[in-house]
């Protein structure tokens, strides 16, 4: 007689600590959205996305995703900026970009319609912010296909549109890919095709989970007139020390 109430309490505790919000098939495999509580983070919901058995994104550490926007846009001159974000994720890069009042138009490109749907349906916390901002537009498509097709480009309404900044956060690093097919993007030829979609003195910025890699910096310099690498540090309570990611910021030449 006393076992059932205890089990109900345990179930309630588990429900409070973990919830699978959605689980669907996608072209890249099974994808799931989960919410969990982790004691070390206190009274804070952690949202995470898994693609198969691999963690695709998490709201656990977002400093570098936000820095991708702040560092990238800090290198852009002018106003009424048109910006592309490659990889919607949980929305942190996109929301950080919209905090720059100079941004007039933001296209957020993601290959997974499921991820876009979670934001449109506001099943993730930042969906409400993105949906409420008229500058934001979701684009369902492969960033890498659109990046290497300058005649069509990222804007579904205006073929060949040029942008002030392109901010990329899809692969784990320039050498560790979410999908093996993405590896072909990281060449002088394909980076140059993407750079055609930037205005003169436009900015390409990219996130990496690793420290800056000299070989990738050298590759970027074959396309861009200026390349800077920034190390973004943040406290990691699991290791009780700082962890680091990096952001590459590249600028095209004059017209």
């Amino acid at each position: 007689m006393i076992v059932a109430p205890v089990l109900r309490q345990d179930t309630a505790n588990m429900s409070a600590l973990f919830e699978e919000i959605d689980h669907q098939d996608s072209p890249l495999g099974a994808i799931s959205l989960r919410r969990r509580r982790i004691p070390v983070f206190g009274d804070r919901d952690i949202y995470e996305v898994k693609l198969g058995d691999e963690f695709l994104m998490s709201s656990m550490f977002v400093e570098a995703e936000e820095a991708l926007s702040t560092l990238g846009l800090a290198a852009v001159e002018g106003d009424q900026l048109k910006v592309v974000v490659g990889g919607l994720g949980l929305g942190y890069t996109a929301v950080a970009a919209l905090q720059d009042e100079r941004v007039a138009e933001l296209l957020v490109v993601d290959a997974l319609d499921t991820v876009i749907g979670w934001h449109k349906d506001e099943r993730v916390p930042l969906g409400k912010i993105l949906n409420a901002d008229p500058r934001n537009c979701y684009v369902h498509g492969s960033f890498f296909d659109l990046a290497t097709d300058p005649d069509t480009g990222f804007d579904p309404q205006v073929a060949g549109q040029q942008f002030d900044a392109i901010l990329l956060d899809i692969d784990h690093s320039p050498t560790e890919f979410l999908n093996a097919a993405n590896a072909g993007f990281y060449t002088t030829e394909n980076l140059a095709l993407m750079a055609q979609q930037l205005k003169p003195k436009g900015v390409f910025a990219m996130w990496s989970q690793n420290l800056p890699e000299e070989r990738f910096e050298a590759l970027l310099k074959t396309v861009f007139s200026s390349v800077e690498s920034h190390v973004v540090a943040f406290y990691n309570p699991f290791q009780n020390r700082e962890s680091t990611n990096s952001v590459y910021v590249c600028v095209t030449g004059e017209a």
Side-chain angles (χ1 to χ4, degrees), residues 187-198:
T187 65
T188 295
E189 179 183 2
N190 284 330
L191 288 168
L193 287 172
M194 180 198 64
Q196 291 181 32
Q197 302 189 54
L198 287 169

Side-chain angles (χ1 to χ4, degrees), residues 46 53 60-61 128 149 188 211 215:
I46 302 296
D53 294 327
M60 196 175 303
F61 305 113
K128 186 174 183 179
D149 184 5
T188 295
L211 290 171
R215 290 182 63 182

Side-chain angles (χ1 to χ4, degrees), residues 174-188:
T175 54
E176 299 165 299
F177 313 114
L178 177 63
N179 182 338
N182 298 352
F185 172 71
Y186 302 97
T187 65
T188 295

Side-chain angles (χ1 to χ4, degrees), residues 68-69 72-73 76 82-87 93 106-107 109 143 146-148 153-154 161-170 185 190-199 201-207 224 247-252:
L68 173 59
S69 283
L73 294 180
V76 181
K82 296 181 182 294
V83 179
V84 172
V85 168
T93 299
L106 183 73
L107 301 182
V109 180
F143 171 89
L146 298 176
T148 53
F154 293 107
Q161 177 77 270
Q162 285 191 313
F163 298 89
D164 297 282
I166 298 172
L167 313 174
L168 177 59
D169 179 5
I170 294 178
F185 172 71
N190 284 330
L191 288 168
L193 287 172
M194 180 198 64
Q196 291 181 32
Q197 302 189 54
L198 287 169
K199 298 177 182 178
K201 301 183 73 173
V203 169
F204 169 60
M206 178 179 151
W207 171 89
F224 298 96
V247 174
Y248 300 92
V249 178
C250 313
V251 183
T252 62

Side-chain angles (χ1 to χ4, degrees), residues 21-223:
I21 299 171
D22 193 23
H23 186 283
Q24 296 187 33
D25 291 329
S26 83
L28 297 179
I31 186 170
S32 60
L33 172 66
R34 300 127 56 100
R35 178 199 59 80
R36 69 170 68 243
R37 287 287 178 94
I38 301 175
V40 72
F41 287 97
D43 187 22
R44 170 187 163 194
D45 285 330
I46 302 296
Y47 286 81
E48 56 193 21
V49 178
K50 289 191 71 176
L51 186 61
D53 294 327
E54 182 178 4
F55 280 95
L56 184 59
M57 58 197 80
S58 170
S59 66
M60 196 175 303
F61 305 113
V62 301
E63 291 86 350
E65 293 174 61
E66 294 172 336
L68 173 59
S69 283
T70 55
L71 291 169
L73 294 180
V76 181
E77 299 177 358
D79 296 301
Q80 294 296 302
L81 305 182
K82 296 181 182 294
V83 179
V84 172
V85 168
L88 173 56
L90 290 168
Y92 288 93
T93 299
V95 167
L98 291 171
Q99 290 173 355
D100 190 321
E101 295 180 354
R102 298 176 302 150
V103 173
E105 180 181 347
L106 183 73
L107 301 182
V108 188
V109 180
D110 203 284
L112 296 174
D113 192 44
T114 300
V115 175
I116 294 174
W118 290 336
H119 286 77
K120 287 184 174 180
D121 297 338
E122 298 181 4
R123 304 185 79 175
V124 292
L126 298 187
K128 186 174 183 179
I129 297 173
L130 293 174
N131 295 338
D133 197 315
R135 297 173 294 168
N136 177 63
C137 177
Y138 303 108
V139 178
H140 178 216
S142 164
F143 171 89
F144 301 105
D145 289 346
L146 298 176
T148 53
D149 184 5
D151 292 333
T152 299
F154 293 107
D155 191 334
Q157 305 299 322
V158 184
Q161 177 77 270
Q162 285 191 313
F163 298 89
D164 297 282
I166 298 172
L167 313 174
L168 177 59
D169 179 5
I170 294 178
D171 288 318
H172 303 308
S173 80
T175 54
E176 299 165 299
F177 313 114
L178 177 63
N179 182 338
N182 298 352
F185 172 71
Y186 302 97
T187 65
T188 295
E189 179 183 2
N190 284 330
L191 288 168
L193 287 172
M194 180 198 64
Q196 291 181 32
Q197 302 189 54
L198 287 169
K199 298 177 182 178
K201 301 183 73 173
V203 169
F204 169 60
M206 178 179 151
W207 171 89
S208 171
Q209 69 179 4
N210 300 330
L211 290 171
E213 302 177 29
E214 290 185 6
R215 290 182 63 182
F216 186 57
E217 291 171 326
L219 173 63
L220 292 169
K221 289 175 181 177
T222 65
V223 176

